[in-house]
Amino acid sequence: MWSRPAKAPRQTLTLDRIVAEAVALLDEEGVGRLTMRRLAERLDTGSTTLYWHVKTKDDVLDLALDAVFHEVPLPGREAGWRAAARDLMSGWRAALLRHPWSATMLDRPLMGPNALERTEFLYETLAGAGFPAPKTAAYSLANYVMGSVIMQVTWQQRDPGGTGAFLRERADLYPSLAEHGLDFPGGRTGWDTTFTEGLAFLLDGMEQAEQAHRTGPG
Amino acid sequence: MWSRPAKAPRQTLTLDRIVAEAVALLDEEGVGRLTMRRLAERLDTGSTTLYWHVKTKDDVLDLALDAVFHEVPLPGREAGWRAAARDLMSGWRAALLRHPWSATMLDRPLMGPNALERTEFLYETLAGAGFPAPKTAAYSLANYVMGSVIMQVTWQQRDPGGTGAFLRERADLYPSLAEHGLDFPGGRTGWDTTFTEGLAFLLDGMEQAEQAHRTGPG
DNA sequence: ACCTCCACTCGATCGTCGTTCTACAACTAG
DNA sequence: CTAGTTGTAGAACGACGATCGAGTGGAGGT
């Protein structure tokens, strides 16, 4: 009819749009509020429509998580394996922290193309450096990063801030904690330097083992 | 009346019974199937009754998680800080692996009495060993353990076993992964030794720093 | 110009969940 | 025996993930 409401020009929904909007929604409201209905609403469609592009909600989460890994830059290898590993892990951490919800989702297989590409890079780097067991080295580094991010996100956003007081009240039970511990944000860069120092421990140990392996059986 | 149906002797529901049953349910069916209704059913009561003893479902999960930490033995300190830290971390890991659902729940503040007691022990041990920043050392160790458990549980139970084949099919994209990697279970003790070796990296680095600090500024 | 087909959309609906409200039963103290 | 406290439970609410079947638009063939 003459005054037909110009029916929206049917810009077909794509998987990319769904994933991008899911990431945005997660960034803004957190993992607890990601709902198929809410996600659909933001995309101006019905919730059931999403199921044409995606099998389950878990698919959306898997895709969103892998999208985060896409933000992790692959460092150069000129500066040696240690610098490459350090930079990759720092970038990995930074990307996860930029999307705190992702920390909660690290308990699923990281099998997306972006995650695999980064893991492959890490293995290549370590194997190329002559590590006898790149598996162990990569495993240690990845574990450390995952644990760090989870811990930081946990304390930063799930802690009502009362932890310090909570522990100080119980200083008789937990003297060491009350003295040295758990007031993490502390300095502005507290988290970052603590992460870097811990990573240095790990890299030092790895370097030591690598040198021993190079000079030992040679 | 003589033949009164012996109306169940009203053994009042206690918080301990709830937590114990929650742990059992989680062990048997996993975190996805823990429901207030199912939990209540196992306790022969109504779901709403649980809310008398507990404020939300999250409380149940927090309590169940802390119950896991109760299984972590506190090692002796005679053998030095390194042995104590190693043993505490191994016990920590073992307890979490015994209840794989707990790995998924490490993204919440570990503020239960059992968790705090273990953390306090770790801080005490490291501070007593003269570490300049026990916070960094404890943080590194805890992060490593958390990451390790999460990764192992993820691959062991959420992976349909097709990962090896999946990666081998894509050996052109991920050559290093296909060669050295990700076929973790490998030997029977693959996970354990990989964990121990990685932990040794970390402890080596820490030991090195501790010695440098002792001889350096002295 | 017509028809067909298929990628795509959506309203209604199912079963389940966490949680609240309110009424009720059992035990305890006086 | 009664009053109050402690504990229990049914019904119900709103929201969720997911399925089903009926629809809609546009591209391609004829």
Side-chain angles (χ1 to χ4, degrees):
Chain A
M1 293 300 191
W2 45 93
S3 70
R4 193 164 303 160
K7 247 193 167 183
R10 171 116 161 151
Q11 51 168 347
T12 52
L13 194 55
T14 68
L15 194 57
D16 286 339
R17 279 187 58 219
I18 294 179
V19 175
E21 198 64 42
V23 170
L25 175 52
L26 286 164
D27 284 344
E28 293 171 25
E29 314 198 26
V31 67
R33 319 235 342 175
L34 174 63
T35 290
M36 295 305 267
R37 289 181 232 258
R38 291 172 72 81
L39 180 55
E41 197 180 355
R42 287 175 67 123
L43 289 164
D44 258 329
T45 180
S47 69
T48 63
T49 303
L50 299 176
Y51 285 95
W52 175 260
H53 303 268
V54 145
K55 194 155 184 353
T56 82
K57 181 186 177 183
D58 251 30
D59 286 7
V60 178
L61 295 177
D62 282 337
L63 289 166
L65 183 57
D66 198 57
V68 171
F69 280 91
H70 186 242
E71 297 180 9
V72 180
L74 293 177
R77 283 208 193 77
E78 319 82 39
W81 69 266
R82 180 165 175 149
R86 190 209 332 117
D87 292 350
L88 180 67
M89 292 302 111
S90 294
W92 189 320
R93 169 172 177 265
L96 292 174
L97 287 178
R98 234 175 282 130
H99 307 281
W101 47 270
S102 63
T104 319
M105 295 172 42
L106 292 175
D107 62 331
R108 47 183 76 215
L110 303 179
M111 297 275 298
N114 294 314
L116 281 181
E117 192 183 351
R118 271 87 191 155
T119 310
E120 167 71 14
F121 177 89
L122 182 61
Y123 268 66
E124 262 175 35
T125 302
L126 295 173
F131 270 93
K135 187 159 73 171
T136 301
Y139 168 88
S140 306
L141 290 170
N143 288 346
Y144 178 73
V145 172
M146 285 175 46
S148 301
V149 175
I150 291 175
M151 180 168 293
Q152 177 169 350
V153 169
T154 297
W155 289 101
Q156 277 187 342
Q157 72 178 20
R158 299 190 61 148
D159 183 39
T163 302
F166 179 87
L167 284 176
R168 244 168 277 120
E169 281 172 20
R170 290 162 183 72
D172 51 331
L173 282 173
Y174 314 113
S176 295
L177 272 178
E179 185 184 348
H180 312 98
L182 285 196
D183 52 341
F184 258 112
R188 173 147 331 142
T189 57
W191 286 104
D192 290 353
T193 60
T194 306
F195 170 81
T196 308
E197 289 168 9
L199 183 58
F201 286 157
L202 196 51
L203 290 168
D204 284 345
M206 289 170 54
E207 199 160 15
Q208 200 171 309
E210 185 243 357
Q211 284 168 4
H213 176 261
R214 195 163 14 155
T215 66
Chain B
M1 304 292 195
W2 44 94
S3 69
R4 192 166 304 160
K7 244 195 168 184
R10 171 111 161 157
Q11 49 169 346
T12 53
L13 193 54
T14 69
L15 194 57
D16 286 339
R17 277 187 58 218
I18 294 179
V19 174
E21 199 64 43
V23 170
L25 176 51
L26 287 164
D27 284 344
E28 292 171 25
E29 312 199 27
V31 68
R33 317 224 3 172
L34 174 63
T35 291
M36 295 305 267
R37 289 181 231 261
R38 291 171 73 82
L39 179 55
E41 198 180 356
R42 287 176 67 125
L43 289 163
D44 258 327
T45 181
S47 69
T48 64
T49 302
L50 299 176
Y51 285 92
W52 175 260
H53 304 268
V54 145
K55 193 155 185 355
T56 82
K57 180 185 178 183
D58 251 31
D59 286 6
V60 178
L61 295 177
D62 282 337
L63 290 166
L65 183 56
D66 199 57
V68 171
F69 280 90
H70 186 244
E71 296 180 9
V72 180
L74 292 176
R77 283 209 194 77
E78 320 81 39
W81 69 267
R82 180 167 177 148
R86 193 215 323 121
D87 291 350
L88 180 67
M89 293 301 112
S90 295
W92 190 318
R93 168 173 178 265
L96 292 175
L97 287 178
R98 235 174 281 130
H99 307 281
W101 47 269
S102 62
T104 319
M105 296 174 38
L106 291 176
D107 62 331
R108 48 183 76 213
L110 303 178
M111 297 274 298
N114 294 313
L116 281 181
E117 191 183 353
R118 270 88 190 154
T119 310
E120 167 71 13
F121 178 90
L122 182 60
Y123 268 65
E124 260 175 37
T125 303
L126 296 174
F131 271 93
K135 188 159 72 172
T136 302
Y139 168 89
S140 307
L141 290 170
N143 288 346
Y144 177 73
V145 172
M146 285 176 45
S148 301
V149 175
I150 291 175
M151 179 168 293
Q152 177 169 351
V153 168
T154 298
W155 288 102
Q156 277 186 341
Q157 74 178 17
R158 299 189 60 146
D159 183 42
T163 302
F166 179 88
L167 284 177
R168 243 167 279 120
E169 281 172 19
R170 290 159 182 76
D172 51 332
L173 282 174
Y174 313 114
S176 293
L177 272 178
E179 185 184 349
H180 313 98
L182 286 196
D183 52 338
F184 258 112
R188 172 146 333 145
T189 57
W191 285 104
D192 290 352
T193 61
T194 305
F195 170 81
T196 308
E197 289 169 10
L199 183 59
F201 285 158
L202 197 51
L203 290 169
D204 285 345
M206 289 171 52
E207 199 160 15
Q208 201 170 307
E210 184 244 356
Q211 283 168 4
H213 175 262
R214 196 163 14 157
T215 66

